[in-house]
């Protein structure tokens, strides 16, 4: 039996990085049997399909809009998972993962058991920000929930007293938080200083006889 513990999300947007931070804690603090894979899926979307296909049991960690108070932890199982991701998506990585599940099912290799462990975010619009305390506090409860779930399959997690090796050291949350520039030094949600800088000239749009297409761009990939 192959088991995949998968965290999805974007650590650059505060609480949206919850799933990845759960995986970081798992990689640093736990040891699992060889048939268990602990993976940071980030925002890879459809590129995760081969990993999902290979899993008999799939546990996904993510930040999910449940319309509940911030920090609320909730679990969704089996057929409800793809439906819920589609109905309550906050960003394109969730839509992408819904497509991953659909592709795996279409290709004939789909997890027999699927569990989504999600947390209600408090803040998403803080570029470069870390998890808010109320959300960070749910990392360990989410792990405990997953470990309890795995016991039904005879899988036991061994807690280790030292930090294990991360698959990608750059994702270390302590480093991420300590190296973040101050608001005075770097843009977080928009910076008027760019427009005021020397050499920047604002020009009105020029009329043209050529046909043009207007495109609305969402800087966070949300609709």
């Amino acid at each position: 039996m192959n088991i995949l513990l998968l965290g999805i999300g974007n650590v650059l947007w505060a609480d949206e990085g919850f799933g990845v931070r759960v995986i970081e804690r798992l990689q640093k603090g736990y040891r699992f049997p060889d048939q268990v894979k602990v993976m940071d899926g980030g925002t890879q979307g459809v590129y995760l399909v081969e990993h999902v296909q290979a899993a008999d049991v799939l546990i996904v960690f993510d930040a999910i809009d449940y319309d509940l108070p911030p920090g609320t932890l909730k679990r969704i199982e089996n057929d409800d998972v793809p439906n819920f991701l589609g109905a309550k998506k906050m960003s394109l990585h969730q839509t992408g993962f819904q497509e991953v599940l659909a592709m795996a099912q279409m290709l004939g290799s789909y997890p027999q058991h699927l569990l989504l462990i999600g947390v209600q975010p408090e803040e998403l619009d803080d570029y470069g920000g870390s998890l808010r305390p109320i959300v960070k506090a749910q990392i360990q409860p989410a792990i405990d929930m997953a470990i309890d779930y795995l016991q039904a399959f005879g899988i036991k997690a061994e807690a280790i007293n030292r930090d294990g090796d991360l698959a990608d050291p750059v994702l270390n949350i302590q480093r991420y938080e300590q190296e973040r520039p101050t608001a005075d030094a770097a843009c977080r949600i928009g910076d008027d200083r760019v427009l005021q800088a020397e050499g920047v000239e604002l020009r009105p749009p020029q009329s043209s006889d050529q046909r043009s297409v207007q495109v609305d761009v969402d800087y966070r990939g949300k609709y």
Side-chain angles (χ1 to χ4, degrees):
M1 175 177 287
N2 295 319
I3 298 173
L4 176 60
L5 306 182
L6 180 67
I8 57 177
N10 190 337
V11 297
L12 295 177
W13 289 106
D15 291 336
E16 196 171 322
F18 175 77
V20 177
R21 295 308 183 191
V22 171
I23 294 301
E24 176 193 352
R25 178 79 62 85
L26 284 168
Q27 290 181 348
K28 292 168 68 175
Y30 293 87
R31 185 181 293 114
F32 291 91
D34 291 341
Q35 70 264 40
V36 178
K37 184 175 184 178
V38 181
M39 181 179 179
D40 161 28
T43 58
Q44 296 182 57
V46 295
Y47 295 103
L48 297 171
V49 66
E50 62 180 285
H51 303 285
V52 170
Q53 286 183 278
D56 299 301
V57 178
L58 173 61
I59 301 178
V60 181
F61 303 94
D62 195 9
I64 299 288
D65 181 10
Y66 292 110
D67 292 328
L68 295 173
T72 302
L73 201 63
K74 187 176 177 66
R75 55 184 285 167
I76 303 293
E77 293 189 52
N78 298 321
D79 293 342
D80 291 333
V81 173
N83 296 332
F84 202 91
L85 285 174
K88 297 288 184 179
K89 73 182 183 68
M90 296 185 303
S91 61
L92 289 181
H93 83 261
Q94 289 176 352
T95 303
F97 194 72
Q98 184 186 27
E99 292 174 350
V100 168
L101 295 175
M103 289 176 62
Q105 191 169 40
M106 179 184 66
L107 294 171
S109 298
Y110 192 81
Q112 299 174 26
H113 305 276
L114 178 57
L115 173 65
L116 169 65
I117 300 176
V119 69
Q120 177 72 41
E122 178 182 16
E123 179 60 66
L124 298 174
D125 294 324
D126 181 16
Y127 181 71
S130 190
L131 301 182
R132 294 305 187 259
I134 196 171
V135 171
K136 185 186 291 187
Q138 295 300 334
I139 290 178
Q140 191 59 50
I143 290 174
D144 295 339
M145 189 179 292
I147 291 176
D148 288 344
Y149 181 78
L150 289 175
Q151 289 180 355
F153 305 98
I155 301 298
K156 294 184 178 180
E158 177 187 357
I160 55 180
N161 295 324
R162 60 176 180 82
D163 283 353
D165 296 330
L166 290 174
D168 187 349
V170 77
L171 291 178
N172 186 292
I173 192 170
Q174 285 81 18
R175 175 182 173 184
Y176 181 86
E177 293 176 344
Q178 292 170 2
E179 295 183 1
R180 185 191 191 194
T182 65
D184 292 334
C187 167
R188 293 189 178 180
I189 60 174
D191 199 332
D192 292 338
R193 292 172 297 177
V194 174
L195 303 180
Q196 299 169 1
E198 183 178 354
V200 175
E201 180 181 357
L202 298 180
R203 299 177 181 175
Q206 303 296 314
S207 60
S208 172
D209 295 333
Q210 297 180 354
R211 296 181 61 186
S212 61
V213 177
Q214 181 177 351
V215 178
D216 294 326
V217 178
D218 181 344
Y219 74 102
R220 287 195 63 243
K222 293 174 60 178
Y223 293 92

